[in-house]
Amino acid sequence: MIVADRKPLDEILESIKDYKKIMLMACGGCVTICFSGGTKAAELLASQIKMAREKDGDPIEIIECTPERQCEFEFIDVYKDKLKDVEAVLSIACGVGVQTMNEHFEDSITLPGLNTKFMGYPVEHALWEERCAGCGDCELQWTGGICPIARCAKKLLNGPCGGSSNGVCEVDKDISCVWQVIYDRLVKLDKLDNLTVVREPKDWRTSTSAGQRKIKFEEAML
Amino acid sequence: MKAGSTLEKVLTAGEFAVTAELGPPANANADAIKKKAKHCAGVVDAANVTDNQTAVVRMSSIAASAIAIQSGVEPVAQMVCRDRNRIAMQSDLLGAAALGVKNILCLAGDHQTFGNHPGAKGVYDLDSLQLVSMVKKMRDDKVFLNGEPIKEHEPKFFIGAVENPFADPFEFRVFRLAKKITAGADFIQTQCIFDMPRFERWMKLVVDRGLHEKTYIMGGITPVRSHRALIYMKNNVAGMSIPDELITRMEGAKDPKEEGVKIALETIEQIRNIKGVSGLHLMPIGWESITETILEKAGLLPRPKV
């Protein structure tokens, strides 16, 4: 899922400083699960904003709402009329949600309240780690299902580098060396041969190197 | 001869080879290279010219290599994967060869977050193995990475890579070394050796697989001037193994500089007696002036004429 983190309050306040009435739009998808952008997060953020603005003698009115997913028209269309009553929308969805709002409702402006971080999974309750970089050419078939592109600081395909020590990455003691993880996994699966092949340079065109990517599913086109 | 460098000639002649390190300055002063080159000229077979080492901006390793040549020192130009994509790398390889550089050392590079521009975007288009393979391809197959022919004047390098016997997973380091050799590494320089038992274990695995016959292995030697330097490396440099006894020995020394030289000499003596070690790579971090003394005392001077 997409994992996001809230922007600092001061940055949010700065971005909405010109408005007296806004809509704070949460999202019922990924960001609800990672606590940054659900109904509860919206309630908390709204009260923080109101308090700050009252303190400054510049009160603000906030309408809160939570579409099931901010990245789909059918869920955001129901707020179309309400948008006319506000000067701006503050979104606490991922970057896709923010952009869906801006493109779909050309006459209004939607500002980001979150920093979208990565595609990850919950390692434990309330802790997410990056797992997929969306490189567009999945390598997991030979790595024991563990991604070196998303998890290696140097994106090595022929790792590990000389900085792998006691299972830890040289970049940060809190990050596991993914190549140690891959090695251990392949030993366990008796597939260490996968690592004796010299892996060729990656064609990064499938990633973000060749401009915006698109996927068209012909069979489902209307 | 693959490139005909002095380093290649010394190694292929079966002589114990010696390289040292020559770090470019963090400014545009050519004299700084010339001054450092004086510590190397005539006493080493070649000197590694580092490429923005520890991710701190310095003069280009290729420009500094060209100045080293003018100063009578054969360079081993280092090239890291951190700062350039495959286009820039190949372009720089052509440029380096045109300037007379004959040895190249391929590394991933210290991660940019350790350096003085931690917010920089790391490139890592290729990894170090893929870089080795590309340099070999340009030299032996006379083609660019994309397969297009280099019609004439292909760059000819004696290709080096690094290996760290002290990093993990230990059992896999030798597999990876074998991969580097398959990719095209003509010589290997290792991380600084302080933990001799571990280096010996690693070399035994290397020799058992016959890898010492497919590449030249040069052991990394770092003389230190104080026990604090050892503690610093132990705590701050990933993939370094520094035994506590060594720290105690340096701490208890009456003359730490003399003890540092003594330890370096003992290490050199030990690695010369390990089967499969073809040379040494001296990395006197910030203590380049000691190079000649150590090599003299180790009986490695004068260098063989090849």
Side-chain angles (χ1 to χ4, degrees):
Chain A
M1 59 177 236
I2 295 169
V3 184
D5 203 11
R6 213 183 80 185
K7 278 184 176 292
L9 185 62
D10 286 347
E11 192 184 330
I12 294 174
L13 290 171
E14 173 65 24
S15 72
I16 57 170
K17 68 178 190 312
D18 297 333
Y19 309 121
K20 303 277 186 201
K21 187 176 182 183
I22 63 166
M23 177 184 282
L24 174 49
M25 186 179 276
C27 175
C30 307
V31 291
T32 290
I33 299 166
C34 70
F35 303 126
S36 55
T39 305
K40 277 188 181 168
E43 278 171 24
L44 176 67
L45 178 58
S47 62
Q48 286 175 318
I49 293 171
K50 281 180 199 162
M51 274 167 65
R53 291 285 289 258
E54 269 164 34
K55 205 174 135 206
D56 289 346
D58 180 23
I60 184 169
E61 197 182 326
I62 301 175
I63 302 168
E64 294 165 44
C65 64
T66 309
E68 197 168 328
R69 285 194 292 279
Q70 208 180 105
C71 58
E72 288 190 48
F73 300 153
E74 60 175 303
F75 298 121
I76 54 176
D77 271 337
V78 291
Y79 301 102
K80 195 177 178 179
D81 291 337
K82 277 192 183 167
L83 283 175
K84 287 175 192 140
D85 301 334
V86 299
E87 296 162 90
V89 180
L90 176 62
S91 160
I92 50 169
C94 71
V96 179
V98 178
Q99 293 183 63
T100 307
M101 285 292 294
N102 278 296
E103 287 188 39
H104 197 54
F105 301 115
E106 287 180 348
D107 296 333
S108 67
I109 174 90
T110 298
L111 304 158
L114 300 184
N115 289 319
T116 306
K117 298 281 187 172
F118 52 78
M119 286 186 270
Y121 95 143
V123 181
E124 57 186 79
H125 181 69
L127 173 67
W128 293 267
E129 276 185 8
E130 185 168 14
R131 284 295 181 268
C132 178
C135 76
D137 185 13
C138 195
E139 306 280 354
L140 296 173
Q141 64 280 7
W142 61 270
T143 60
I146 293 155
C147 184
I149 305 297
R151 295 177 62 181
C152 173
K154 298 178 182 173
K155 310 211 177 314
L156 304 182
L157 284 173
N158 295 284
C161 75
S164 175
S165 192
N166 299 314
V168 173
C169 170
E170 65 173 15
V171 170
D172 188 332
K173 287 187 168 60
D174 289 332
I175 303 174
S176 300
C177 168
V178 70
W179 277 100
Q180 175 80 57
V181 180
I182 291 171
Y183 174 79
D184 292 342
R185 174 103 175 118
L186 292 177
V187 167
K188 203 171 179 178
L189 296 172
D190 197 20
K191 296 263 189 222
L192 207 54
D193 282 354
N194 288 5
L195 297 190
T196 55
V197 184
V198 177
R199 299 286 161 183
E200 293 294 313
K202 201 169 169 67
D203 183 341
W204 296 103
R205 279 175 295 185
T206 58
S207 184
T208 51
S209 288
Q212 185 199 38
R213 294 174 285 178
K214 274 186 196 185
I215 289 178
K216 196 190 238 181
F217 193 64
E218 297 282 359
E219 289 86 340
M221 300 281 288
L222 296 174
Chain B
M1 285 286 125
K2 289 167 174 169
S5 68
T6 303
L7 179 62
E8 182 182 6
K9 287 176 190 163
V10 170
L11 285 166
T12 48
E15 300 278 357
F16 194 78
V18 176
T19 51
E21 206 151 279
L22 204 171
N27 57 34
N29 183 11
D31 288 337
I33 310 275
K34 290 173 186 163
K35 205 173 151 194
K36 279 193 179 181
K38 279 187 188 145
H39 298 303
C40 299
V43 301
V44 299
D45 302 315
N48 283 36
V49 182
T50 48
D51 182 7
N52 297 299
Q53 197 176 12
T54 63
V56 170
V57 176
R58 291 181 179 279
M59 187 192 290
S60 139
S61 64
I62 291 164
S65 290
I67 299 166
I69 295 172
Q70 292 165 16
S71 314
V73 174
E74 175 174 294
V76 177
Q78 297 196 179
M79 181 174 273
V80 301
C81 300
R82 179 192 60 228
D83 308 324
R84 309 167 175 84
N85 67 12
R86 61 192 78 177
I87 299 170
M89 281 173 159
Q90 291 176 100
S91 159
D92 280 351
L93 287 166
L94 295 179
L99 287 165
V101 176
K102 291 176 179 168
N103 309 296
I104 203 103
L105 187 81
C106 309
L107 315 94
D110 295 314
H111 196 265
Q112 64 274 10
T113 51
F114 293 120
N116 62 353
H117 291 73
K121 184 174 188 293
V123 179
Y124 302 109
D125 177 22
L126 304 185
D127 65 25
S128 60
L129 255 126
Q130 293 161 347
L131 172 57
V132 167
S133 169
M134 182 171 79
V135 182
K136 183 180 158 71
K137 212 168 167 174
M138 291 171 85
R139 180 190 70 196
D140 296 349
D141 303 341
K142 302 178 180 55
V143 292
F144 290 104
L145 183 63
N146 64 357
E148 278 174 22
I150 305 170
K151 288 177 187 126
E152 51 185 347
H153 298 293
E154 72 280 7
K156 287 181 184 162
F157 292 109
F158 189 50
I159 308 167
V162 295
E163 188 44 71
N164 183 1
F166 312 103
D168 292 317
F170 179 72
E171 311 72 37
F172 187 64
R173 304 309 312 186
V174 178
F175 278 80
R176 189 155 183 268
L177 175 68
K179 278 173 85 167
K180 283 199 172 172
I181 296 167
T182 305
D186 300 312
F187 69 99
I188 298 287
Q189 292 173 330
T190 77
Q191 176 65 288
C192 325
I193 305 161
F194 292 109
D195 181 348
M196 189 54 75
R198 180 150 168 165
F199 183 71
E200 283 173 338
R201 280 210 316 277
W202 179 74
M203 275 309 300
K204 184 166 187 313
L205 294 173
V206 170
V207 172
D208 286 348
R209 292 187 59 145
L211 299 178
H212 64 302
E213 286 163 355
K214 296 176 181 166
T215 195
Y216 298 103
I217 292 169
M218 306 178 72
I221 305 285
T222 290
V224 290
R225 283 178 285 190
S226 73
H227 72 285
R228 282 183 301 277
L230 290 173
I231 294 170
Y232 178 82
M233 284 191 270
K234 192 181 175 95
N235 295 334
N236 296 289
V237 183
M240 282 280 235
S241 175
I242 298 175
D244 289 333
E245 306 89 78
L246 202 62
I247 298 173
T248 315
R249 183 175 160 188
M250 277 300 286
E251 196 175 12
K254 270 190 193 149
D255 183 342
K257 281 189 179 179
E258 202 181 295
E259 197 67 18
V261 170
K262 218 172 142 193
I263 291 169
L265 289 169
E266 286 169 17
T267 315
I268 292 172
E269 190 55 33
Q270 282 169 311
I271 65 166
R272 288 184 77 175
N273 289 313
I274 296 172
K275 191 181 175 192
V277 178
S278 302
L280 68 85
H281 176 53
L282 199 63
M283 294 172 270
I285 305 156
W287 197 17
E288 285 84 358
S289 58
I290 202 66
T291 303
E292 188 168 358
T293 308
I294 288 179
L295 297 174
E296 181 72 62
K297 287 188 174 174
L300 288 163
L301 295 181
R303 298 304 309 144
K305 296 269 173 269
V306 287

